[in-house]
Structure formats: structure tokens, C-alpha cells
Amino acid sequence: MLFVTIQELEAAINYWRSQSPSAGDELRLCPEASALAKLYALMIVQGPQRVPVDVLDDLARSAIQQFQKIS
């Protein structure tokens, strides 16, 4: 089983933010960064340092896999 660490999530969010900066008056995140940010927030609140990849929704899984290819 593969895992994603909280540090890797943070790096992936920053990568996606650099690829597609926040937009609009509300500074909305791109879909990839938003999907990863939801999991990141849950990890901060709940405390795990890593989560299994299979718990990610399709968009978050795709975003982290694309990030892993370039890192």
C-alpha cells in the first residue's frame, strides 16, 4: 500500500499553486490544489503524518500522482 505524507501534500499543493495561481476576488485555488488542501486540513486536525493513497478521491489522487512524476 502506498502512502502520502503531510509534507508531500504540502509540496504538491505549493506545486499546483505555482502552476495555476489563485484566481478571483476570493482567491480560489485551482481544482488540484483544492482537492489536496482538503486532505491536508484533515491531516492537520486529526494528526496522522501519512495516509494511504487509496483514501484520496479521484482528483486528489490524480493531482498527487502527477506531482510525484515531476518530483
Side-chain angles (χ1 to χ4, degrees), residues 16-42:
W16 285 109
R17 288 183 66 218
S18 73
Q19 296 301 302
S20 181
S22 299
D25 291 336
E26 68 279 1
L27 297 176
R28 178 182 58 247
L29 294 173
C30 67
E32 295 86 357
S34 180
L36 295 172
K38 291 173 189 172
L39 177 60
Y40 183 75
L42 283 172

Side-chain angles (χ1 to χ4, degrees), residues 10-71:
E10 182 176 8
I13 291 166
N14 289 334
Y15 166 76
W16 285 109
R17 288 183 66 218
S18 73
Q19 296 301 302
S20 181
S22 299
D25 291 336
E26 68 279 1
L27 297 176
R28 178 182 58 247
L29 294 173
C30 67
E32 295 86 357
S34 180
L36 295 172
K38 291 173 189 172
L39 177 60
Y40 183 75
L42 283 172
M43 290 176 74
I44 289 172
V45 171
Q46 295 174 352
Q49 292 299 303
R50 64 184 191 159
V51 295
V53 171
D54 61 357
V55 303
L56 278 65
D57 65 28
D58 291 339
L59 182 56
R61 186 178 305 114
S62 175
I64 199 71
Q65 288 171 340
Q66 289 178 49
F67 169 73
Q68 288 171 333
K69 286 180 185 177
I70 61 96
S71 62

